[in-house]
Amino acid sequence: VYHQPNPSPIRTLFDHRIKQVSIGYSHASALNSVGYLFTWGLNKKGELGYLNKYPSSIPRLVESAKVYNGKQCVCCYSATIFLTGGGYVYIYGSLKRSSPLSLQKFDSLADLEGTKGKIDIQPQQITKLTSNFITKVAAGEGYITCLTKTGDILWISDDLNPYQMTTKHTIKDT
């Protein structure tokens, strides 16, 4: 996320038993063995799970994700995709590169003066996937691909509508 001449350990995550990491265009995420989500980076559109006007070079626990028992996290251009142990898919930020940050009750980042970046935002559940048990996710700029428990592959575009890609071959989750 930040350019360094040499790789260095992220000491703030040492005590958290990290089981999975993902790096996006301008942010990163990590999931620990308990299923807690940590994020850091630029946070242009809320992809870190909290509203803040400033980048964060230090991983921070996303408090609003603690209740979901995370199984997988995936970063793409300006979103963090969060898969729960129950097979539900949530998103922080936006899949649309040009869309504005969804601020919920705020009209702009200027409304955050005095909050010191302490406002966590709730993830958006992709509700049109709830009839499928999702076992794996992948993401790129403007899309999410999901593998279901039955082996179907679903593609989600930036309008958050799922499209079934295939049912001809069964794909097993490993």
Side-chain angles (χ1 to χ4, degrees), residues 136 147 172-174:
K136 297 276 187 194
L147 176 64
K172 298 291 182 187
D173 181 15
T174 56

Side-chain angles (χ1 to χ4, degrees), residues 72 74-76 81 136-140 143-147 154 156:
Q72 184 186 3
V74 177
C75 296
C76 59
I81 315 305
K136 297 276 187 194
V137 294
Y143 73 90
I144 305 170
T145 304
C146 303
L147 176 64
L154 302 175
I156 315 306

Side-chain angles (χ1 to χ4, degrees), residues 65-82:
K66 285 173 67 173
V67 299
Y68 295 111
N69 182 28
K71 178 181 176 184
Q72 184 186 3
C73 59
V74 177
C75 296
C76 59
Y77 183 77
S78 57
T80 301
I81 315 305
F82 185 68

Side-chain angles (χ1 to χ4, degrees), residues 8-100:
S8 61
I10 302 172
R11 299 193 188 288
T12 56
L13 294 176
F14 277 6
D15 295 332
H16 293 286
R17 306 194 107 214
I18 300 302
K19 69 176 185 178
Q20 196 247 321
V21 296
S22 180
I23 297 177
Y25 179 76
S26 61
H27 73 290
S29 64
L31 203 59
N32 74 2
S33 60
V34 180
Y36 290 175
L37 179 67
F38 296 83
T39 58
W40 63 102
L42 291 184
N43 203 30
K44 292 179 179 184
K45 297 184 180 185
E47 61 266 32
L48 299 185
Y50 50 91
L51 295 176
N52 186 329
K53 294 192 326 183
Y54 309 103
S56 174
S57 61
I58 300 169
R60 175 181 162 188
L61 174 65
V62 181
E63 293 288 338
S64 61
K66 285 173 67 173
V67 299
Y68 295 111
N69 182 28
K71 178 181 176 184
Q72 184 186 3
C73 59
V74 177
C75 296
C76 59
Y77 183 77
S78 57
T80 301
I81 315 305
F82 185 68
L83 175 65
T84 70
Y88 298 106
V89 180
Y90 291 85
I91 181 172
Y92 288 100
S94 174
L95 288 178
K96 295 181 181 182
R97 192 174 198 176
S98 62
S99 68

Side-chain angles (χ1 to χ4, degrees), residues 8 29-30 32 86-87 103 118 128 132 144 151-152 154 156 158 163-164 166 174:
S8 61
S29 64
N32 74 2
L103 293 175
K118 300 290 185 189
K128 294 179 181 177
N132 300 282
I144 305 170
D152 292 331
L154 302 175
I156 315 306
D158 58 10
Y163 303 94
Q164 189 164 346
T166 182
T174 56

